[in-house]
Amino acid sequence: MMHGLKIFNAACKGCVNCIKSCPTEAIRVIDGLVHILPDLCIDCGECLRTCRKKALGLDEDDWRELLSQKVPVLADPSFFAQFAAWRPDGVPEALEQSGIRTLNTRRAFDLAALAVARYLEEAPREELPLISTYCPAVLRLIRIRFPELLSRTVPVESPLEVSAELWGRDHGGEAPVLLAPCPAKITMVREPLGRDRSAIGAAVSIRRVVRDLLSSGVKMHTPQEEALTSRRDLPWALRGGEAEHVRRFARRPVRAIAVSGHRNTLDVLRDLELGRLQGVDYVECRFCDLGCIGGVANAESRFLAEIRVKTTEVSWELSQEEREDLEQLHASGIWRLQKDIKPQNRLPLGGDFSEAMNQLTRFREVLDQLPHIDCGACGRPSCQAMAEDIVRGNAELTDCIFKLRERIASLAGEIEGLSRNVPHTLRTREKDR
């Protein structure tokens, strides 16, 4: 599986700071080096935030090479809030000065909001609330930790994918490059969910592009009063932006919960799993704090970016031509996921049922021997993960510092006892003395 993260072994000091931040226990530190289990990683980027040694980084495509090839750019809405001197709705002008072609994503975001609104209207009340599929990290989290909630996810494709699909239809299949705010959206391009292949050709971090633009000396000349105010995709960069857009197309009141940050996301998904969100229609989760503007691949402070988005006027009014176009696109079904999203099953403990049950029994026996304090000194995020690794043959019981101390104490006692022993040939002589 291809991910948006990469490891720099030379920089890793084996400090185990990263393993505690992972919400799916996908990280191990073995022999002093960090390892990521690809089947459990959701590319949320939390490990990048906690690694102080820069041993983890973004696995992005080569921006310079893509720029030289004049590949069109598909910018995530959070990109437009990354510049202190430019209004978000004027950023495309600065890109044009640099010779960068940008896709207009407003049409696709309108379509996604319309599709969600219609889906909520048609869904039976007992199937509500439904869950947004916009954040790829949240979607992968659900596949691993809350698979029973997959039936509640709306089958609506990411508007970024739809934008690329529409562009490709009009430009002979040309695939744009995504400016991504997080490793999860880089992975969305390489290993998409709900479709066999992404319509996006490559992905680079927003940070990389922003720094390149600022260093080139590009300036925006559009006067403040002439800047566009119709970027209806821009609020999606913030928590609650999607829900607000959906309400604009809904023909009945939509009661939505919008949360951001991995702890809040886990809490609301647990509540939903336990049936505690009665009366709610829609759940919008963003894994990063404040929304996509909090992504680890961004260049600007999320707090300043939030101010820029909130102070940018948005025109929610659609012309008759725009409404007719959206209805045609909705009828075409281009907004719908191409296939169902399946749970991400953990690797089985055994090759067949009988072996798996035996290994499960051994797993419980091993777990009972561990201290259950989840200290992380063994390089695993929890004692349960440690027991699982032992059963799989990827660890030993003495990797646990407490079990190692017990073993050392036991061996020391044995050595002390042996040291008092006298060879049998000398025992009579010892008694005579």
Side-chain angles (χ1 to χ4, degrees), residues 189-249:
V189 174
R190 297 170 179 173
E191 295 283 347
L193 297 177
R195 59 190 299 139
D196 294 321
R197 183 178 179 182
S198 175
I200 306 169
V204 297
S205 68
I206 286 177
R207 181 191 300 122
R208 176 72 178 85
V209 178
V210 168
R211 291 176 178 176
D212 187 74
L213 284 172
L214 294 178
S215 64
S216 67
V218 174
K219 296 182 179 180
M220 186 179 70
H221 300 294
T222 300
Q224 296 282 340
E225 63 272 11
E226 295 182 12
L228 299 175
T229 59
S230 58
R231 292 210 65 95
R232 290 188 290 273
D233 55 343
L234 186 61
W236 286 60
L238 290 180
R239 177 193 65 210
E242 176 190 359
E244 178 60 27
H245 204 164
V246 169
R247 290 190 185 98
R248 299 288 176 169
F249 286 100

Side-chain angles (χ1 to χ4, degrees), residues 108-119:
F109 278 83
D110 282 343
L111 176 60
L114 173 64
V116 171
R118 294 285 172 84
Y119 205 83

Side-chain angles (χ1 to χ4, degrees), residues 407-418:
R407 181 61 176 153
I408 291 173
S410 175
L411 289 174
E414 290 181 26
I415 292 173
E416 183 181 2
L418 289 172

